[in-house]
């Protein structure tokens, strides 16, 4: 069986985890935690990064930082993972969903301004498949309406928009290191990117259960105490050590994934030319990270049949999100602004193919042959 995903592993992780055990410090913000955060701050050229237990935690932290309150509205696409919305719903916000662009599966930037009201507090663009949203337009809308922009860059590590790393353009950004992502911290993990320096001090407090513990350890206060709202958004040092084993090979992993992505694209192009499938579109303004390779079928029935065919060939493909505005909780906590012209239709076409660091060419060719066999 060719699995859909295998968590990235470089061979360095075990040694670093043993190092952690030898240091007798398992809680967060240790030696490897600081190394990881310094790596992000250097490579992304940002004021501050905070490693978190998950991208969900990073988004929740961001929602607290911008003081989301009951009655506020937050604009985002419906085609995203539930955490994108949940982080703000937990603070009492109403989610305003807008349609996506069929070419990138990202939020349609042309529809955002029409969804802005006096209650709107933030825009949350989601960089699907590591392909950047039209951030120039989104930032212009946010600046004119005095809104915050929180980038959900869960899939976007090593991707960029017009030369700027995804997650570093808005006021805040969030990354994921779940085992399905290009880089993992041992199964779960996330990162909050702070681009607006006004949030740095308070973010540290919220992340440490609402205490000024970080300031205490830096000698800035003589004792630490409860000073703000907060929660436990600190990952273990074991997660940091695993991630450091990946970051040391970040370019190697990225290059390998791009090679796999390009091989799929080159070898499936014939099916697109014949009108049987659609392949991903990468705008000229974007550099992607090969987070996923997907193709689009003619519709739901064909997608179901293709996935079943792949399964019969011992290949696990996958589809992705059920649009949030159609879900039970989405109907309760959100609303769709404008029509659903593309979100549901395009989501029902999409098939994700196996892609991971270490996927062998023979395995990949088997996937390609199976797809051609289906369309024959």
């Amino acid at each position: 069986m060719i699995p859909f995903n295998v968590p990235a592993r470089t061979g360095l992780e075990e040694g670093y985890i043993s190092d952690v055990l030898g240091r007798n410090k398992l809680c967060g913000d240790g030696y490897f935690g600081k190394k990881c955060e310094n790596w992000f701050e250097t490579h992304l050229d940002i004021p501050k990064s905070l490693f978190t237990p998950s991208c969900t935690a990073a988004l929740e932290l961001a929602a607290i930082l911008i003081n989301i309150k009951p009655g506020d509205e937050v604009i985002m696409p419906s085609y995203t993972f539930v955490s994108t919305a949940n982080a703000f719903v937990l603070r009492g916000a109403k989610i305003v969903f807008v349609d996506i662009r069929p070419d990138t599966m990202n939020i349609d930037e042309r529809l955002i301004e029409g969804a802005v009201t006096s209650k709107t507090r933030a825009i949350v663009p989601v960089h699907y498949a590591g392909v950047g949203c039209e951030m120039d337009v989104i930032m212009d809308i946010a600046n004119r309406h005095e809104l915050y922009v929180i980038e959900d860059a869960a899939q976007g590590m090593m991707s960029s928009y017009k030369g700027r790393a995804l997650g570093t353009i808005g006021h805040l950004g969030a990354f994921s290191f779940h085992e399905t992502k290009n880089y993992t911290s041992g199964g779960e993990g996330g990162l909050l990117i702070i681009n607006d320096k006004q949030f740095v001090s308070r973010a540290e407090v919220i992340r440490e259960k609402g205490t000024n513990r970080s300031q205490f350890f830096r000698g800035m206060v003589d004792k630490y105490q409860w000073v703000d709202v907060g929660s436990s958004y600190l990952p273990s040092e074991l997660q940091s050590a695993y991630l450091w084993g990946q970051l040391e090979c970040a370019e190697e992993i990225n290059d390998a994934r791009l090679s796999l992505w390009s091989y799929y694209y080159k070898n499936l192009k014939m099916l697109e030319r014949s009108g049987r499938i659609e392949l991903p579109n990468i705008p000229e303004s974007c550099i992607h990270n090969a987070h996923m390779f997907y193709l689009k079928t003619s519709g739901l029935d064909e997608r179901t049949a293709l996935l079943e065919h792949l399964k019969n060939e011992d290949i696990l493909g996958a589809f992705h999100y059920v649009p949030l505005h159609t879900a039970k909780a989405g109907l309760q906590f959100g609303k769709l602004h404008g029509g659903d012209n593309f979100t549901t239709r395009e989501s029902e076409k999409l098939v994700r193919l196996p892609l991971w660091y270490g996927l062998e060419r023979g395995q990949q060719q088997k996937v390609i042959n199976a797809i051609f066999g289906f369309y024959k």
Side-chain angles (χ1 to χ4, degrees):
M1 178 69 72
I2 298 178
F4 170 68
N5 177 71
V6 175
R9 186 174 173 182
T10 67
L12 299 173
E13 297 88 354
E14 291 89 341
Y16 293 144
I17 289 173
S18 294
D19 191 327
V20 171
L21 297 176
R23 292 172 184 270
N24 295 318
K25 177 177 170 56
L26 298 180
C27 62
D29 274 348
Y31 174 75
F32 286 103
K34 293 301 182 184
K35 284 178 74 71
C36 288
E37 290 179 352
N38 289 337
W39 190 95
F40 292 119
E41 289 162 13
T42 299
H43 283 74
L44 300 178
D45 190 24
I46 54 171
K48 185 67 177 176
S49 71
L50 291 174
F51 193 28
T52 59
S54 64
C55 185
T56 300
L59 289 167
E60 290 178 6
L61 209 167
I64 298 172
L65 272 176
I66 65 170
N67 292 316
I68 291 293
K69 295 181 175 60
D72 289 344
E73 293 181 351
V74 178
I75 298 171
M76 66 181 64
S78 172
Y79 189 66
T80 184
F81 189 59
V82 63
S83 294
T84 314
N86 252 342
F88 301 92
V89 170
L90 284 168
R91 312 306 303 170
K94 185 81 170 180
I95 308 301
V96 180
F97 299 113
V98 299
D99 209 2
I100 60 170
R101 295 170 43 156
D103 59 342
T104 61
M105 305 297 285
N106 285 334
I107 190 170
D108 191 333
E109 69 281 358
R110 299 167 299 178
L111 304 178
I112 293 173
E113 192 154 22
V116 175
T117 71
S118 60
K119 297 179 181 179
T120 306
R121 185 72 173 166
I123 304 169
V124 186
V126 179
H127 303 300
Y128 186 72
V131 177
C133 299
E134 285 296 332
M135 291 304 297
D136 283 352
V137 176
I138 292 172
M139 294 306 297
D140 176 64
I141 294 170
N143 290 335
R144 287 189 285 105
H145 292 276
E146 298 183 341
L147 305 175
Y148 290 112
V149 174
I150 299 172
E151 295 178 72
D152 184 336
Q155 303 171 0
M157 182 58 68
M158 303 292 280
S159 295
S160 63
Y161 168 82
K162 294 186 177 181
R164 300 180 65 183
L166 299 188
T168 71
I169 304 169
H171 300 87
L172 299 163
F175 287 104
S176 172
F177 302 118
H178 184 268
E179 68 171 38
T180 57
K181 302 303 187 292
N182 297 28
Y183 310 95
T184 180
S185 52
E188 295 283 351
L191 187 76
L192 178 69
I193 298 294
I194 302 175
N195 305 311
D196 189 332
K197 293 181 180 180
Q198 68 165 311
F199 294 120
V200 171
S201 179
R202 187 169 184 237
E204 289 185 329
V205 169
I206 295 170
R207 180 171 174 253
E208 281 279 16
K209 299 90 174 170
T211 73
N212 57 359
R213 182 173 178 269
S214 294
Q215 295 175 355
F216 170 73
F217 282 118
R218 290 198 295 266
M220 299 170 65
V221 295
D222 59 358
K223 59 183 177 181
Y224 78 84
Q225 58 183 311
W226 183 20
V227 296
D228 200 346
V229 297
S231 190
S232 184
Y233 293 132
L234 193 66
S236 79
E237 187 69 352
L238 293 172
Q239 285 181 278
S240 301
Y242 195 101
L243 180 60
W244 182 247
Q246 311 248 303
L247 296 181
E248 285 201 317
C249 301
E251 292 292 345
E252 176 186 326
I253 293 172
N254 193 55
D255 290 345
R257 294 185 69 102
L258 286 168
S259 176
L260 292 166
W261 192 97
S262 297
Y263 192 80
Y264 271 138
Y265 191 90
K266 176 183 177 182
N267 285 275
L268 293 172
K269 189 66 177 176
M270 183 185 301
L271 285 176
E272 184 178 54
R273 291 195 192 103
S274 66
R276 305 307 299 273
I277 64 173
E278 294 178 54
L279 296 179
N281 173 67
I282 311 298
E284 290 184 5
S285 58
C286 298
I287 294 176
H288 73 108
N289 61 354
H291 170 63
M292 73 173 79
F293 191 93
Y294 65 81
L295 60 82
K296 290 183 184 178
T297 64
S298 63
L300 181 58
D301 290 342
E302 185 176 301
R303 181 182 76 178
T304 302
L306 174 56
L307 287 171
E308 185 64 25
H309 173 77
L310 292 175
K311 185 177 180 181
N312 290 335
E313 296 288 328
D314 289 331
I315 299 165
L316 290 183
F319 57 88
H320 222 162
Y321 319 117
V322 174
L324 296 185
H325 76 274
T326 67
K328 180 179 179 181
L331 294 170
Q332 179 180 355
F333 300 119
K335 61 181 180 181
L336 178 66
H337 175 83
D340 176 5
N341 295 314
F342 297 110
T343 300
T344 298
R345 190 184 79 183
E346 297 301 314
S347 69
E348 291 179 346
K349 297 178 179 180
L350 193 140
V351 173
R352 298 179 63 188
L353 303 183
L355 176 58
W356 69 85
Y357 175 63
L359 176 66
E360 297 177 359
R361 191 67 84 202
Q363 293 174 304
Q364 193 176 20
Q365 190 61 54
K366 180 179 178 180
V367 176
I368 293 167
N369 292 343
I371 293 170
F372 270 92
F374 176 80
Y375 282 104
K376 190 182 291 184

